[in-house]
Amino acid sequence: MTEVTTLMPATKKAETQANSAARLGLWLTLPAQLLVLFIALFPILMQVYISLTDWSPLDGIPWWRAYELWIGLLNYTDLMADSRFWGALWRTLFVMLVCVPVQFLLGLGLAVLFVDDFRGKRVLYSTLLVPMMVVPAVAGYMFFMLFQSGGPVNDLLSFFTSEPVRIAWLSDPDLALIAVMVADIWQWTPLMFLILLAGMISVPQDQQMAAILLGASWWRRFFTIVLPRMKSIIIIALAIRVIEIFKIFDTLFIMTGGGPGVATETISVYIYKVTQQELIWSYVAAIALAILIVLSVVSVFAIKRMQRGQDG
Amino acid sequence: MQRSIAFEAFRYAVILGIVAISLVPTLWMISMAFKPIAEWSAAGADLTWWPRNPTLDNFRFIFGQSSTELIVALERTAGRPIFASLLTASVGTLIAMTAGTAAAYGLSRFGQGGNLPLALIQLRLFPPMAVMIPVMIMWSFLGLIDNWFGLSLIYGIVTLPFAFWLMKTFFDDMPREIEDAALVEGCTRWRVFLRITLPMMRPALASSALFVFILNWSDYLIALLLTTRDWATIPVYMASLSSSMTGQLYGAKAALGVIAAVPPIIMGIAIQKHLVRGLTFGALKE
C-alpha cells in the first residue's frame, strides 16, 4: 500500500511534465510554422485564384475582384503554346546540363588534390572558396566588366593570338550564353569542391589501407572504394546545384539582362520580365503555379527515393 | 603516405593555376575600384591591368563628392543603400534566427513540428520568383513595398530553412545531460532553454547568424521586386548607377562592388568550418 501511494504522485508528475514539454515544443515551433504557412498556403491559394483570371495591376480593380475578369484555364492553355516560355525552360536546362557536370568534375578533381595534407593547404583552401562568397550580383558585374569588348578577356586573347581580338561577348547571342555559364562555373565550382572534399575526407580509411596492402592501384581504389562511399554526398552536391541553377537570375541578369533578344533568358528572367515589364500578373501566377506543381512532384519523389536509398 | 616529387609538383601547379584563375575576376574589380577614369576602359589597344595612378576618387564619388574628372553629380549616394542593405539583412537574420532556433529546439528536444524539415527544404527548392506575385500583391496592400520591414520579413522567411537546419544539427549534437541535471534541480524547461541551453549554444548561434546574414546580404532579386527607391539595397542601387552622360561608371560601380563583397568574404572565411553543414542542410558535418 505504501508503495502505491508514493508511486502515484510520481507518475502523475511525470505525466504533467511530459505534457508541459509537449506544449512548450508546440509554442517553440509555432513562429516557424506560421511563417511557412504565410509564405506557402496563402500565396498559393491566391495564385490559383488569380491564374484563372485575366487580372493585371493596371486594370484598376483590386485583386480580390479579379473574378470579374474570369477566363478559366486560358492562361494555362496559353502557356502550353508559349514558345518564349519553352525556350526559356530549355535554355535553363541547357545551362544546367553544361554547368553542373563541369562544376562537378572540377570540384571532384580539386577535392582529390586537397584530400591529404600538404604545405599551404589551409590558405589555398580558403582562397579557393572566395568566389562562392562574392555577392552574386557583384559577381555578375565583375564578369560584365571582364567580357566587355575592350576588356581583359579579349586583352588576354589578343596576347595569345598576337592579333587584336574585339569580340562583343555579351551582345552576341551565342557567346553571351557561354559568358554567363563561365560566370556560373567560376562562382559555384568552389561549392562543389567544398562539399565533395568534406565527403571524401569522411570516407573511412581502413578499407583503403587494406586495398593498398593488397596492391590495388590508386585509380582502382578511387573508383571501387572512395566514389561508392561518397554516393549520397555526391547526390546532395548535384541536387543543390541543379536546384540553384534552375533559379539562376542575379549574375545572369546583371551581365546580360536576358539578352541580346532572348538569348540568355532563363525561367526566372522570363518570369521577371513578364512581371515587371509586361505586367500580366495573372499569367505569371499561372506560370509560377505550373512550376511549383512540377517541382513539388519531382521533389517529393526524389526525397522519397533518397530516404529509401538510405534505409536500404 | 609518401607521394613522388613529380606528383607534388603537379599538385602545386594545378592548384596554383586554378587559384590564380579564380582570383582574376575579384582582383580585376578591386583594381578597377582604384583606377582613375582615364584607365577605366581600353583607349586604343592599351588596357591597364593594375592602376597606374591609384586613386580613391571612385569611393569619394559614390558618397557624393564629385572630382574634377567625374563631374556628374549623383542623384542618390551610396550611403543610403548601404544602410538599407545592413538594416534589412540584419532584421531578416534576426527573424530567421529567432523562429529557426525556437523551432529547431522544439523539434530536437520535444519532437514537435515534424513536418517542418521537409516543408522548409521544399521552401528552399522553389524559385523565389514563383511566389513573388502574391507577395507583391499582399505587400502593396499592406503598404510594405519599398519598406524596410517588408523586405526584412521576406528575407527572414527565405533564410528560415537555413537557420532551422543549422540550429537543429547543433542542438542534435549537444549533450542533454546538463539540461537534464537542471531539470532535476527544479528549473522549468523554459528557463533551462533560456538560461542554460542558449548561452551554451552561443558559438553555434553566432556562426548560424553570420551564415544567414551572408545569404540575406547577397540577395538581389527580392530587393529588385520589392524596393523602388528609398530602401533599394546595394545591388539594386548598383544596377541603377549608370548615367546617360558617362555611360557605364565602371570605377564607381567597382568601388561599390568592393564595399558589397568584402563583408561576406570575411564572414564566410570566419565560419568556414560550418559552411558545409549550412549548405547541405546538415547532411554533412565537417
Side-chain angles (χ1 to χ4, degrees):
Chain A
M1 273 307 275
T2 43
E3 270 181 51
V4 175
T5 42
T6 46
L7 264 175
M8 279 291 280
T11 43
K12 248 192 179 161
K13 200 183 166 199
E15 238 169 60
T16 50
Q17 249 188 11
N19 272 340
S20 78
R23 219 176 313 124
L24 178 62
L26 274 182
W27 278 112
L28 286 171
T29 45
L30 191 65
Q33 299 275 23
L34 287 179
L35 285 176
V36 170
L37 267 189
F38 177 67
I39 202 65
L41 189 66
F42 188 53
I44 286 172
L45 291 178
M46 194 170 179
Q47 283 208 129
V48 173
Y49 171 51
I50 290 172
S51 73
L52 298 171
T53 71
D54 196 19
W55 183 80
S56 97
L58 297 180
D59 288 334
I61 58 171
W63 68 272
W64 60 84
R65 277 171 51 206
Y67 61 84
E68 290 168 21
L69 302 163
W70 194 265
I71 54 165
L73 291 173
L74 204 60
N75 277 325
Y76 293 93
T77 48
D78 278 355
L79 181 63
M80 298 311 282
D82 183 348
S83 59
R84 213 174 135 197
F85 167 77
W86 294 104
L89 184 63
W90 164 239
R91 218 167 283 116
T92 313
L93 294 178
F94 177 75
V95 171
M96 198 185 278
L97 286 173
V98 173
C99 289
V100 175
V102 172
Q103 288 163 351
F104 173 72
L105 290 176
L106 281 174
L108 189 68
L110 275 171
V112 168
L113 293 178
F114 268 83
V115 78
D116 38 36
D117 285 325
F118 58 91
R119 196 182 286 260
K121 176 177 170 175
R122 284 182 58 118
V123 175
L124 290 170
Y125 174 77
S126 300
T127 317
L128 272 177
L129 297 187
V130 166
M132 63 178 266
M133 295 168 204
V134 171
V135 178
V138 174
Y141 186 59
M142 288 177 183
F143 280 87
F144 174 82
M145 287 191 291
L146 292 178
F147 282 113
Q148 290 302 298
S149 62
V153 170
N154 281 344
D155 199 50
L156 276 179
L157 289 175
S158 312
F159 177 76
F160 286 120
T161 58
S162 50
E163 51 189 276
V165 177
R166 277 271 186 267
I167 302 172
W169 289 92
L170 297 179
S171 44
D172 182 306
D174 297 325
L175 297 178
L177 200 60
I178 294 178
V180 163
M181 290 192 288
V182 167
D184 193 79
I185 291 167
W186 172 81
Q187 183 153 38
W188 298 114
T189 297
L191 177 88
M192 277 288 193
F193 161 64
L194 178 80
I195 297 175
L196 293 176
L197 178 61
M200 211 177 273
I201 288 172
S202 68
V203 172
Q205 288 288 318
D206 47 349
Q207 275 198 354
Q208 291 201 67
M209 282 306 181
I212 292 174
L213 290 177
L214 289 172
S217 72
W218 183 88
W219 290 103
R220 187 81 197 272
R221 293 200 311 269
F222 185 70
F223 284 106
T224 57
I225 300 174
V226 180
L227 272 190
R229 291 285 191 95
M230 287 175 65
K231 192 178 144 202
S232 59
I233 286 138
I234 290 174
I235 292 173
I236 291 170
L238 293 176
I240 290 173
R241 281 318 299 150
V242 164
I243 292 168
E244 293 298 319
I245 290 191
F246 191 75
K247 304 191 232 176
I248 186 169
F249 182 85
D250 296 7
T251 323
L252 184 150
F253 193 69
I254 298 266
M255 284 175 76
T256 66
V262 293
T264 56
E265 197 171 88
T266 56
I267 283 291
S268 285
V269 175
Y270 173 61
I271 301 182
Y272 174 79
K273 283 188 176 168
V274 182
T275 307
Q276 286 298 72
Q277 291 162 11
E278 290 154 45
L279 288 162
I280 324 168
W281 286 14
S282 57
Y283 188 49
V284 178
I287 304 174
L289 262 183
I291 292 176
L292 287 184
I293 290 166
V294 173
L295 280 183
S296 303
V297 172
V298 170
S299 74
V300 167
F301 181 75
I303 291 170
K304 282 259 165 68
R305 264 211 67 168
M306 264 172 77
Q307 279 170 342
R308 212 182 309 144
Q310 270 174 359
D311 295 340
Chain B
M1 191 172 21
Q2 281 300 313
R3 301 268 203 169
S4 64
I5 295 175
F7 176 79
E8 290 297 327
F10 170 75
R11 165 156 51 202
Y12 278 110
V14 172
I15 291 177
L16 289 175
I18 290 179
V19 166
I21 293 170
S22 82
L23 281 178
V24 166
T26 316
L27 289 180
W28 180 262
M29 184 176 71
I30 295 172
S31 141
M32 183 64 89
F34 293 99
K35 282 180 192 171
I37 193 164
E39 296 173 30
W40 280 2
S41 66
D46 196 20
L47 192 69
T48 317
W49 278 79
W50 204 246
R52 275 188 280 256
N53 306 299
T55 167
L56 283 175
D57 276 359
N58 294 322
F59 290 92
R60 290 199 195 99
F61 175 71
I62 57 172
F63 287 105
Q65 215 174 46
S66 59
S67 62
T68 44
E69 286 172 315
L70 269 171
I71 44 164
V72 244
L74 281 174
E75 192 195 346
R76 292 179 294 151
T77 59
R80 177 84 188 195
I82 292 172
F83 173 68
S85 274
L86 268 178
L87 181 74
T88 54
S90 305
V91 178
T93 305
L94 191 70
I95 294 171
M97 284 303 295
T98 309
T101 306
Y105 191 71
L107 180 61
S108 181
R109 287 293 183 275
F110 311 117
Q112 296 288 349
N115 65 316
L116 277 174
L118 198 63
L120 287 170
I121 282 194
Q122 285 195 323
L123 185 61
R124 190 60 209 154
L125 185 70
F126 299 142
M129 201 56 243
V131 285
M132 284 314 279
I133 287 287
V135 170
M136 284 161 78
I137 295 172
M138 280 194 285
W139 261 219
S140 58
F141 180 69
L142 297 169
L144 289 175
I145 297 277
D146 204 16
N147 172 296
W148 65 271
F149 184 71
L151 192 54
S152 305
L153 186 56
I154 286 294
Y155 282 172
I157 297 174
V158 168
T159 50
L160 176 63
F162 290 99
F164 170 80
W165 273 93
L166 263 169
M167 288 314 296
K168 182 178 173 299
T169 63
F170 284 124
F171 282 131
D172 289 348
D173 286 354
M174 183 185 151
R176 293 178 183 209
E177 283 75 19
I178 302 165
E179 289 180 325
D180 289 344
L183 278 176
V184 171
E185 298 274 310
C187 274
T188 62
R189 285 187 183 269
W190 181 240
R191 264 181 81 90
V192 172
F193 177 54
L194 287 184
R195 292 290 166 83
I196 292 164
T197 314
L198 283 184
M200 272 177 64
M201 297 299 272
R202 222 175 269 153
L205 284 166
S207 312
S208 310
L210 282 179
F211 186 85
V212 170
F213 182 89
I214 295 175
L215 293 173
N216 286 333
W217 176 267
S218 300
D219 164 73
Y220 172 52
L221 176 59
I222 298 174
L224 189 62
L225 289 167
L226 292 184
T227 64
T228 47
R229 198 192 150 82
D230 290 345
W231 293 96
T233 56
I234 299 176
V236 178
Y237 170 76
M238 191 167 156
S240 74
L241 198 69
S242 308
S243 96
S244 50
M245 285 164 72
T246 55
Q248 284 290 339
L249 294 164
Y250 289 108
K253 280 188 172 182
L256 194 60
V258 169
I259 295 174
V262 166
I265 292 177
I266 294 173
M267 291 175 187
I269 288 174
I271 56 163
Q272 220 179 64
K273 253 195 339 186
H274 302 304
L275 279 180
V276 172
R277 187 194 284 244
L279 290 164
T280 60
F281 288 111
L284 249 183
K285 294 164 202 166
E286 220 178 351

